[in-house]
Amino acid sequence: MTTHSSKDPMHGVTLEMIVNALVAQYGWVELSKLININCFKNDPSVKSSLKFLRRTPWARAEVEALYLDSLEEPAKQDSVESGFNPWTQGHK
């Protein structure tokens, strides 16, 4: 049986995974500076961010673009502890 592998870096990645990965890499404060939206500034949470991003296409596009850019950058080792996997955060 052959497996299909997509060259699209967004294939199989949910919006929740994207938000969790960006928060893990940048933190809420830096994220709110990079993308100027209130759900990242005022009492930020993944749940409120997902609600806003699902209803606001322009904001979702900015978040997805930042995520794609962050895949090209080397991860910040000083802000992310080794062995931390943002894809499994909150799924125990």
Side-chain angles (χ1 to χ4, degrees):
M1 178 176 202
T2 61
T3 59
H4 175 72
S5 62
S6 175
K7 294 189 185 283
D8 179 15
M10 297 295 287
H11 181 75
V13 179
T14 66
L15 187 57
E16 183 177 7
M17 291 169 137
I18 292 171
V19 171
N20 282 327
L22 291 174
V23 170
Q25 183 167 356
Y26 298 108
W28 289 111
V29 174
E30 184 65 22
L31 196 54
S32 70
K33 291 177 185 175
L34 294 169
I35 302 174
N36 188 16
I37 53 179
N38 283 335
C39 67
F40 292 164
K41 292 180 180 181
N42 301 328
D43 195 26
S45 71
V46 173
K47 184 177 179 179
S48 68
S49 297
L50 292 174
K51 185 176 179 181
F52 176 77
L53 294 170
R54 286 181 179 132
R55 293 182 292 131
T56 316
W58 66 264
R60 181 178 182 145
E62 286 192 31
V63 168
E64 289 174 348
L66 179 62
Y67 172 73
L68 290 173
D69 288 344
S70 72
L71 291 178
E72 296 170 4
E73 295 176 3
K76 295 180 184 177
Q77 292 301 325
D78 56 336
S79 64
V80 179
E81 59 185 69
S82 62
F84 176 77
N85 185 347
W87 307 119
T88 60
Q89 181 181 14
H91 300 286
K92 293 184 179 183

